[in-house]
Amino acid sequence: MDALPVTNKAAGEPESLRNKALETGAAAVQNFAPVERICAHLNAFHAYADDLSRKVEANHYCAHLNDEVRQCILYDSPTLPARIIGIGKDQTFFNFTKSHISKTKKKKPRRSTKTKFRSLKAHSHHTTLTTPSPLPTEYMITPRLFSTLTPSEQKLWHSHVFEVKSGMLIMPQPAAIPDAAWELAENREMEEVIQLYGKVYHLWQTDRGDKLPLGEPKLMMSFTKKEQFPEFEEMVGERDKRFGTSWERKKEVRKGIKVPENVSEGNSDWSWKEKGLA
């Protein structure tokens, strides 16, 4: 594979003029209803369940499936070119909608589906269309649903308390939204996410330099305390510089977000628990 050309960090030749023309034509006439429902961008770090020393950043682009389910496409970057590293479905999607920031945003001309998808920022776009469920998936479920899972199934899931309370989990802020308005909206989202259990698989091991999505999907975990992530300040700090944010600030303003009761019960975060590191 080393002898193959590399384009956009993936093995293969640059896109031909023919394919670019076909892409433009298809985008003009085809229906992209499922991706039109994407309405939120979340960023966090995951650890490989079978090797917790490996961490990777993931950008989640999410949409409602119903009132309790969201689906997320995971990319390695928020800008083009970006590789899909996982595809996810989450439960209890955030209740933040356009109404929370409508007073601070000016209406913009309607963009094409393709442009809107590529330049996605966290804003709501509600329709009545039915969204297909992509696989493999990331899931986030409520404690009630988590309690119905078998003990062995629970081991595949993780909590989000540390992600939220540490300031690691963010909704990247659009430039047009004032800090105070976005902080309020983001905290409302965090109040939802902190209660949930997640299940996620990554398809492309970009952290080891793979030029193609090789091997089987990898189960990923989140973190339950800072000691599990020795590179936290370095890696999250570097991420924050790119997004113009601060995990320290977010940690401070999220002190009032309540930690759900019994979050450590069951077999969630099992990769840490079985090693005595949870």
Side-chain angles (χ1 to χ4, degrees), residues 20 30 34 42-43 45 49 59 69 71-72 79 81 90 111 121 145 152-153 168 200 223 240-241 257 264 276-277:
K20 287 182 178 179
Q30 286 189 301
L42 300 173
N43 178 287
F45 290 81
N59 291 277
V69 181
Q71 300 183 140
C72 297
T79 59
D90 307 342
R111 295 170 292 170
K121 294 178 181 178
L145 295 179
S152 59
E153 173 62 27
M168 181 180 74
V200 57
F223 306 90
D240 284 353
K241 289 180 181 178
I257 297 179
S264 62
L277 300 174

Side-chain angles (χ1 to χ4, degrees), residues 22-244:
L22 290 173
E23 181 184 68
T24 301
V29 298
Q30 286 189 301
N31 183 339
F32 294 98
V35 296
E36 280 191 324
R37 289 180 58 82
I38 291 176
C39 58
H41 175 197
L42 300 173
N43 178 287
F45 290 81
H46 297 151
Y48 289 83
D50 62 356
D51 183 356
L52 295 167
S53 67
R54 295 173 61 193
K55 295 94 176 176
V56 63
E57 181 180 347
N59 291 277
H60 307 60
Y61 293 90
C62 306
H64 287 277
L65 184 61
N66 60 39
D67 197 48
E68 290 192 275
V69 181
R70 86 169 78 167
Q71 300 183 140
C72 297
I73 304 173
L74 275 60
Y75 283 88
D76 68 335
S77 170
T79 59
L80 295 176
R83 293 169 290 181
I84 293 177
I85 57 176
I87 307 174
K89 180 166 66 178
D90 307 342
Q91 300 240 5
T92 313
F93 184 50
F94 77 175
N95 295 319
F96 167 64
T97 64
K98 283 182 180 177
S99 61
H100 291 94
I101 57 174
S102 60
K103 294 181 180 180
T104 64
K105 290 186 68 175
K106 294 181 179 180
K107 291 186 177 180
K108 297 181 180 180
R110 183 176 178 83
R111 295 170 292 170
S112 69
T113 300
K114 186 176 178 182
T115 302
K116 180 161 51 179
F117 183 68
R118 286 182 171 177
S119 62
L120 178 68
K121 294 178 181 178
H123 65 279
S124 286
H125 182 75
H126 298 288
T127 72
T128 57
L129 298 171
T130 300
T131 307
S133 300
L135 294 172
T137 60
E138 174 177 358
Y139 303 85
M140 286 186 190
I141 60 176
T142 60
R144 180 180 69 85
L145 295 179
F146 180 77
S147 68
T148 68
L149 304 177
T150 64
S152 59
E153 173 62 27
Q154 288 183 355
K155 292 181 179 181
L156 305 177
W157 299 71
H158 59 266
S159 61
H160 291 94
V161 173
F162 176 78
E163 282 191 20
V164 171
K165 298 293 281 186
S166 69
M168 181 180 74
L169 179 64
I170 64 170
M171 289 171 56
Q173 180 178 346
I177 309 301
D179 292 346
W182 194 253
E183 192 169 89
L184 174 62
E186 185 180 60
N187 278 357
R188 288 181 177 176
E189 161 69 339
M190 296 303 128
E191 290 171 357
E192 296 288 333
V193 174
I194 199 171
Q195 303 177 50
L196 309 179
Y197 294 89
K199 179 181 181 181
V200 57
Y201 286 87
H202 280 206
L203 309 177
W204 197 325
Q205 298 181 60
T206 56
D207 62 303
R208 67 181 188 184
D210 288 2
K211 297 301 187 291
L212 289 173
L214 305 176
E216 297 180 356
K218 288 288 188 177
L219 177 67
M220 308 299 285
M221 286 284 122
S222 186
F223 306 90
T224 61
K225 55 186 178 182
K226 195 174 180 180
E227 290 75 13
Q228 298 165 349
F229 196 167
E231 311 89 349
F232 180 93
E233 293 190 12
E234 176 186 355
M235 294 181 69
V236 179
E238 191 277 328
R239 185 278 313 269
D240 284 353
K241 289 180 181 178
R242 285 186 277 110
F243 284 105

